[in-house]
Amino acid sequence: MLAERRHQLILRALRSGGPAAVTDLSEQLGVSPATIRRDLVKLEEEGLLTRVHGGAVVDEGDQPFAEVAEVRVAEKDAIAAHAAAMIADGQSVLLDIGTTAYRLARQLHGRRLTVITSNLVVYEELADDEGIELVLLGGMVRREYRSLVGFLTEDNLRQLHADWLFLGTSGVRPGGQVMDTTVVEVPVKRAMIKAGDKVVLLADTAKFPGTGMARVCGPEDLDVLVTNAPVDPVTRTSFEEAGVEVVVAGKVQA
């Protein structure tokens, strides 16, 4: 693999999953740890990442949807399958932005549901499914991330109610705080939480702790966490104390 291509893949892994260890990057790219370390030095010299003990981190920007959608697809599909099984026919479902919500939308074909979303990729996925009543929220278009944001989106949400909200995140702190990397999305997410009867957080293992500087909500605002691997003890305790049901690989932990 050419060094330039390897550098692109390293940055993509860091942007989508937060901090990454040298050993993990070595396994993913099929090269030696020494090669990864040299790559990290080069990328740091170019100002594209920061090396930390055992690995590296990169400042999380507004990554294009298509790029993020290629990462951890199997894990997101496992989470989506669990989430879809929670929904009963005839119910209303509010889907957040992001790629895991999109994977959940793919699981809803053929169901009799009402789906409300600001996620343009979810809209495109379900637009031709006549069994689904589809509500697209208004707002300003974020083209790269295929979402709608702003006061129009928030106003729309204040007029709606859904049985379920499936919420995405950029990161979950050990205290159970749900974070996001993009400040403009936070008011929309908070409006979604108010509009949802049951709030379900969809978060794969890379989201613990993940990234994000803006706080969306605390564990007290959630009803269920669906993830694809065991949650660290500190974070799990935070969710348990808040009464959040933690669903991991088909079994309930709290």
Side-chain angles (χ1 to χ4, degrees):
M1 183 186 298
L2 294 176
E4 182 178 354
R5 175 59 175 164
R6 202 166 56 243
H7 293 173
Q8 291 175 351
L9 294 175
I10 289 171
L11 291 172
R12 179 177 296 179
L14 292 170
R15 286 168 178 162
S16 62
V22 168
T23 52
D24 293 337
L25 293 169
S26 173
E27 291 177 4
Q28 289 178 35
L29 301 183
V31 297
S32 70
T35 297
I36 294 295
R37 290 189 187 95
R38 288 193 293 271
D39 289 337
L40 297 181
V41 169
K42 176 65 173 175
L43 290 167
E44 186 175 50
E45 290 174 350
E46 296 175 356
L48 297 174
L49 55 74
T50 301
R51 285 185 297 153
V52 296
H53 180 69
V57 296
V58 66
D59 290 335
E60 182 72 20
D62 188 15
Q63 300 304 310
F65 187 98
E67 181 176 307
V68 182
E70 297 175 1
V71 181
R72 299 187 304 278
V73 173
E75 290 87 342
K76 293 172 184 176
D77 279 342
I79 291 170
H82 286 300
M86 300 169 68
I87 306 165
D89 282 352
Q91 290 189 316
S92 54
V93 180
L94 181 53
L95 295 184
D96 192 11
I97 67 158
T99 56
T100 307
Y102 163 61
R103 304 308 301 186
L104 173 54
R106 291 171 59 91
Q107 301 270 352
L108 300 181
H109 282 294
R111 303 284 300 276
R112 185 174 58 82
L113 301 167
T114 298
V115 174
I116 307 162
T117 191
S118 61
N119 189 327
L120 294 173
V121 182
V122 167
Y123 166 77
E124 291 166 359
E125 176 68 27
L126 299 177
D128 294 330
D129 192 322
E130 296 183 359
I132 292 178
E133 294 288 341
L134 189 56
V135 179
L136 181 64
L137 299 168
M140 294 290 294
V141 177
R142 290 177 61 212
R143 290 180 175 82
E144 284 298 302
Y145 209 66
R146 312 298 305 281
S147 66
L148 295 156
V149 297
F151 75 93
L152 291 172
T153 318
E154 296 163 48
D155 283 350
N156 283 178
L157 285 163
R158 280 190 281 270
Q159 301 175 59
L160 296 170
H161 174 269
D163 295 307
W164 296 95
L165 163 62
F166 292 94
L167 186 70
T169 181
S170 300
V172 181
R173 297 294 178 260
Q177 304 302 309
V178 179
M179 310 299 291
D180 200 271
T181 58
T182 310
V183 173
V184 71
E185 293 286 358
V186 172
V188 175
K189 288 176 179 285
R190 290 176 177 170
M192 286 183 170
I193 290 170
K194 291 180 180 179
D197 187 22
K198 294 287 187 180
V199 180
V200 182
L201 181 66
L202 307 178
D204 61 55
T205 51
K207 304 300 174 64
F208 299 92
T211 57
M213 66 173 183
R215 180 184 181 275
V216 175
C217 69
E220 67 278 2
D221 296 304
L222 306 174
D223 295 289
V224 185
L225 164 68
V226 182
T227 186
N228 64 305
V231 180
D232 70 87
V234 174
T235 307
R236 186 172 65 246
T237 297
S238 298
F239 281 117
E240 289 175 347
E241 290 177 348
V244 179
E245 179 184 9
V246 180
V247 180
V248 181
K251 55 187 178 182
V252 176
Q253 286 203 343

